[in-house]
Amino acid sequence: MLLAAGAAGLLVAMTITIARAIMGPSHYDRILAVNSFGTKTVLLLSVIGFVFGRPAFLDIAIIYAPINFVTTIALMKFFRYRSLAQPLGLSAGEETLDD
Amino acid sequence: MIALPSSLNANLVIGIALLVMLLVVAGAIVRTRSLLAAIILFSIYSLVSAVWLVVMDAADVAFTEAVIGAGVSTIVLLGAILLTRGEVEKPGWRALVAPALVCAGVGGLLIYAAAGLPALGDPASPANAHVGRAYLEAAPKEIGAPNIVTAVLASYRGFDTLGETAVIFAAGIGVALMLGFGPHASPLPPAATIGDHHVVLRVSAKFLIPLIALFALYVQFHGDLGAGGGFQAGVIMAAAIILHALVFGLRDTMMAVPPRLVRSIAALGVLLYAGVGVACMLNGGAFLDYDYLFPPAFEKQVPGWLLGDPEHAHHWGQHFGILLIELGVLLTVAATMLTIFYGFAGRTVEAIRQERGA
Amino acid sequence: MTDMLSLIGGVCVVAGTALSLIGAAGLLRFPDVYTRIHAASITDTGGASLVLLGLCLIAGLSLTALKLAFVWFSIMLTTPVAANALANAAFGSGHRPRIGAFQIMRTDERRKTSRGTEAP
Amino acid sequence: MSFILLHFNYVAVAILMMAGLFVVVSSSNLIKRMIGLAIFQTSTGLLYISLGKVSSGTAAITVDAASPEKQALANHLDPAYVAQYGVAGVVYSNPLPHVLILTAIVVGVATLAVGLAIAVRVREAFGSVEADEIEVLSRLESAQAGSQA
């Protein structure tokens, strides 16, 4: 019963997060919403596994956290650098063109 | 008369709540003019549908959707946006009334037809009563893999899966031919990022990348025991390498995992899959009939303790067959996803260079 | 004993969910990106830890508990780093905090405003 | 009421499918159209999975007959229901739609990438990803070719 209440609460929290993702206003707010939504999804997946009596599905929750990270980094990099290819965190001059 | 389980249970309620969320997100995707917002919302859409799939007992599908929908397809879409420079859709859609009328009409027909479909969870519906049940009853005896989805995917419908693996391979080749293999891509110096050190990101990425790759192997080899398999593992493996490219730059990644090697691996995967089928034929069975994976003379030489329970001795070939073809799927899927990423990300560099040069 | 642990676990899950809800409310109501990141981190740390701890108590000592620990570990590893990178990117692309006693400005802006009045 | 609840999945699938179709038909941006196509494709998957669900079933990963998990799964169910529709004492959902959709999702992302690659090449050839502008440009081009011939 408590677990079902937990799942319901997480569903409400996810709905609120979706509202933030739809409203924006900046794209960083949306990325934040996706990231936060991902964490809540992981939690909901874990709780659902117990509610339905098959905790073996935790594997999905385990992998989802790193995948969420990859997506967030990709989005962040897109907005900040407009490129998926260049390395992060190098000062100008540290890296030069080959040709 | 058998009492059906009560219709209003946690399963149904959570499922409907998630579907409503899906509808809201889909509506927002339709409405938004910003393509970037649409991509971000599509990532959320995939996530919600992944949770819904878990609620509907489709653990393997949920795994795939979570990894692909929210991971790889977002990154591919971002790459496409970068290359087309089209971040905002032009206002003024061609026509709104005629498409809306057509969609409303077709949608109305579909909803009308839905009333004739079996109720959700009807155990006696034609789809669930015959062929699905037959697989459930036969698979543990004939294949011996606890995960029946994997048993059907890799063994009963192995030929179908071979075709799908070949389609994925072909799609990867198609993208590579259109966008290039990205062999000349070298990163530009970041413009004006003095003092912008992502030390935290780099250190934790160094820690995470091997962890993700390790988990991909777990998903791969655990595939016939629990949720998972070659498709999921391949995408997770590709995600680990994509993370490396995102943090340390495409050039470093291309030195570690050269595009030429990736292409060969993609072909090798399909070859391995088909090769297993041919091996079965050479030993006297049908194509992809893993019971004949090993020659009968060889199986007689195997010591009894390796085979385990003599009653299930014939599962030996099935186990190895499934492992081998899942390995082929892993190689092809991982290499194809990487080829696609190299294609999009590598072209970005060339496009920027051309623009700056012009 | 097991029932007691399950009960405590359930309470932990509900408490974690409540924290998640509070975080979500903050995400919706706070005025700018940085404060929202702060609100979202409540879900990531307090909420996730409590929910997963509660589930661990329910699962008892088993493989499931180990997997839950792994989920916790990967959440703890990824979300703060992602939040850090996000704040970094938002700041780098020109977003400035909207509230606070000290408004952080670009150096050129600060020079412009402080010229003639007082030393920076 | 229960009829509506038990058929809500199909209604939602129909709406999602039409949302995807609407984007494909009415938007002129090629990338947006690909996103619409992806929504359309996902909705097909949802329909298949809905059809494969069995009431009070569990995922088609066999539960060990001796495990406590099996006891917990069968606890709240009518024994006659389990005997009629279960396999070895556990009710499972239909695994066949799962197999079909699992591979379809991976193939879907690969074909999505092909479509996006075509859009990228179209942008490089015409300088736009808006279908309207491309149509005008290609008509201009063919008119020029005609006048030269």
Side-chain angles (χ1 to χ4, degrees):
Chain A
M1 202 58 225
L2 284 170
L3 284 183
L10 282 171
L11 278 172
V12 174
M14 284 162 83
T15 314
I16 297 174
T17 315
I18 286 182
R20 174 49 70 199
I22 292 174
M23 276 158 41
S26 78
H27 286 310
Y28 292 102
D29 291 301
R30 293 203 168 95
I31 303 176
L32 176 66
V34 171
N35 194 14
S36 182
F37 192 84
T39 313
K40 290 183 182 87
T41 310
V42 171
L43 296 182
L44 183 66
L45 283 173
S46 315
V47 175
I48 278 183
F50 281 83
V51 171
F52 296 154
R54 294 297 293 271
F57 302 151
L58 275 174
D59 291 351
I60 306 171
I62 294 178
I63 196 53
Y64 194 67
I67 293 288
N68 191 21
F69 179 70
V70 175
T71 313
T72 309
I73 297 302
L75 284 165
M76 189 275 295
K77 209 177 156 187
F78 176 90
F79 289 118
R80 184 72 183 85
Y81 299 105
R82 302 279 146 183
S83 160
L84 295 178
Q86 75 174 17
L88 280 179
L90 290 167
S91 299
E94 257 183 77
E95 179 76 53
T96 49
L97 267 179
D98 281 348
D99 41 6
Chain B
M1 185 63 202
I2 294 165
L4 285 171
S6 72
S7 63
L8 195 77
N9 50 23
N11 199 303
L12 187 72
V13 173
I14 297 180
I16 288 179
L18 288 167
L19 277 177
V20 172
M21 259 190 231
L22 265 187
L23 289 174
V24 171
V25 176
I29 294 176
V30 173
R31 265 199 63 222
T32 181
R33 286 253 177 275
S34 159
L35 285 176
L36 293 171
I39 291 175
I40 294 174
L41 287 171
F42 186 66
S43 155
I44 290 187
Y45 178 91
S46 301
L47 259 185
V48 178
S49 59
V51 182
W52 183 83
L53 289 167
V54 171
V55 174
M56 289 289 137
D57 300 337
D60 287 84
V61 191
F63 215 132
T64 320
E65 180 70 35
V67 175
I68 289 211
V72 173
S73 67
T74 310
I75 292 172
V76 170
L77 280 165
L78 284 180
I81 296 272
L82 269 180
L83 291 178
T84 53
R85 304 282 190 288
E87 286 168 23
V88 182
E89 210 179 346
K90 292 260 165 68
W93 291 15
R94 265 194 305 188
L96 283 176
V97 181
L101 280 180
V102 169
C103 289
V106 179
L109 275 178
L110 285 176
I111 291 171
Y112 172 68
L117 285 170
L120 176 71
D122 182 2
S125 73
N128 295 337
H130 303 293
V131 61
R133 197 178 159 79
Y135 278 129
L136 281 169
E137 280 169 352
K141 294 188 203 99
E142 289 175 3
I143 311 293
N147 186 351
I148 295 172
V149 175
T150 303
V152 178
L153 180 95
S155 191
Y156 289 111
R157 297 181 58 87
F159 193 54
D160 181 36
T161 310
L162 173 62
E164 261 139 6
T165 314
V167 169
I168 293 166
F169 175 65
I173 295 296
V175 172
L177 286 177
M178 276 187 278
L179 297 183
F181 295 96
H184 305 300
S186 61
L188 295 164
T193 53
I194 298 165
D196 193 359
H197 290 274
H198 289 272
V199 179
V200 177
L201 197 55
R202 272 184 290 165
V203 172
S204 53
K206 257 181 207 165
F207 195 73
L208 263 177
I209 290 164
L211 215 59
I212 300 177
L214 187 68
F215 195 75
L217 292 178
Y218 165 75
V219 170
Q220 163 75 19
F221 292 110
H222 196 247
D224 54 350
L225 302 175
F231 285 100
Q232 294 93 329
V235 180
I236 295 171
M237 191 63 96
I241 301 173
I242 288 174
L243 179 61
H244 186 273
L246 288 175
V247 175
F248 298 103
L250 189 63
R251 196 185 57 178
D252 286 8
T253 309
M254 279 189 174
M255 276 187 328
V257 189
R260 185 185 293 273
L261 179 74
V262 172
R263 265 175 283 160
S264 322
I265 288 177
L268 186 73
V270 182
L271 194 69
L272 177 64
Y273 199 142
V276 170
V278 173
C280 295
M281 280 170 87
L282 289 180
N283 291 329
F287 188 65
L288 290 172
D289 184 355
Y290 310 132
D291 287 338
Y292 294 89
L293 184 61
F294 300 102
F298 173 75
E299 287 209 336
K300 283 203 188 79
Q301 302 291 321
V302 178
W305 56 268
L306 249 179
L307 293 175
D309 189 0
E311 193 191 329
H312 295 93
H314 63 283
H315 291 161
W316 211 59
Q318 291 283 354
H319 272 303
F320 269 86
I322 290 177
L323 272 184
L324 277 176
I325 67 120
E326 293 268 16
L327 187 63
V329 171
L330 166 95
L331 294 177
T332 301
V333 171
T336 303
M337 294 301 154
L338 261 188
T339 307
I340 290 172
F341 177 76
Y342 280 173
F344 279 97
R347 198 158 188 98
T348 314
V349 173
E350 286 173 1
I352 292 172
R353 181 178 293 153
Q354 277 170 8
E355 212 158 76
R356 282 198 193 164
Chain C
M1 186 60 201
T2 324
D3 285 351
M4 195 64 200
L5 275 183
S6 296
L7 188 68
I8 298 172
V11 171
C12 275
V13 170
V14 172
T17 307
L19 281 184
S20 279
L21 271 171
I22 294 169
L27 192 65
L28 193 66
R29 296 290 301 154
F30 279 175
D32 66 354
V33 185
Y34 302 98
T35 43
R36 282 175 200 146
I37 290 175
H38 160 68
S41 66
I42 292 176
T43 312
D44 296 341
T45 54
S49 301
L50 272 177
V51 168
L52 294 175
L53 176 72
L55 291 179
C56 260
L57 288 177
I58 293 173
L61 268 181
S62 61
L63 181 66
T64 311
L66 193 69
K67 282 184 180 177
L68 284 166
F70 203 81
V71 173
W72 181 81
F73 177 71
S74 55
I75 287 184
M76 282 295 135
L77 189 63
T78 54
T79 45
V81 177
N84 177 5
L86 186 64
N88 194 334
F91 193 81
S93 66
H95 284 256
R96 290 294 171 268
R98 198 172 288 171
I99 53 172
F102 178 64
Q103 292 263 329
I104 305 168
M105 286 173 287
R106 287 167 209 243
T107 31
D108 51 342
E109 286 169 348
R110 194 185 303 166
R111 212 169 290 141
K112 210 184 294 167
T113 47
S114 61
R115 189 187 298 148
T117 50
E118 57 189 18
Chain D
M1 185 60 196
S2 131
F3 181 84
I4 293 174
L5 282 180
L6 290 176
H7 287 74
F8 180 76
N9 278 28
Y10 307 123
V11 176
V13 164
I15 297 173
L16 286 178
M17 194 177 265
M18 286 310 114
L21 183 68
F22 180 76
V23 173
V24 172
V25 176
S26 65
S27 171
S28 70
N29 187 301
L30 294 181
I31 309 272
K32 185 78 184 271
R33 280 185 182 184
M34 291 309 296
I35 296 177
L37 210 56
I39 293 178
F40 192 102
Q41 186 213 339
T42 320
S43 73
T44 327
L46 301 189
L47 175 68
Y48 270 67
I49 302 293
S50 294
L51 284 171
K53 170 76 182 153
V54 171
S55 257
S56 301
T58 185
I61 299 168
T62 41
V63 184
D64 199 6
S67 69
E69 225 178 355
K70 182 193 167 244
Q71 295 302 321
L73 282 171
N75 225 359
H76 307 290
L77 295 180
D78 181 3
Y81 177 79
V82 176
Q84 170 93 26
Y85 298 110
V87 175
V90 184
V91 182
Y92 296 107
S93 285
N94 188 352
L96 191 57
H98 302 180
V99 175
L100 302 178
I101 298 311
L102 196 161
T103 48
I105 289 174
V106 187
V107 170
V109 76
T111 47
L112 175 76
V114 173
L116 291 172
I118 293 174
V120 167
R121 292 308 296 257
V122 165
R123 158 69 168 61
E124 288 174 4
F126 292 100
S128 166
V129 282
E130 301 286 328
D132 300 350
E133 296 171 10
I134 294 163
E135 218 173 323
V136 172
L137 284 172
S138 63
R139 211 171 280 160
L140 271 177
E141 232 165 53
S142 61
Q144 280 173 355
S147 66
Q148 278 168 6

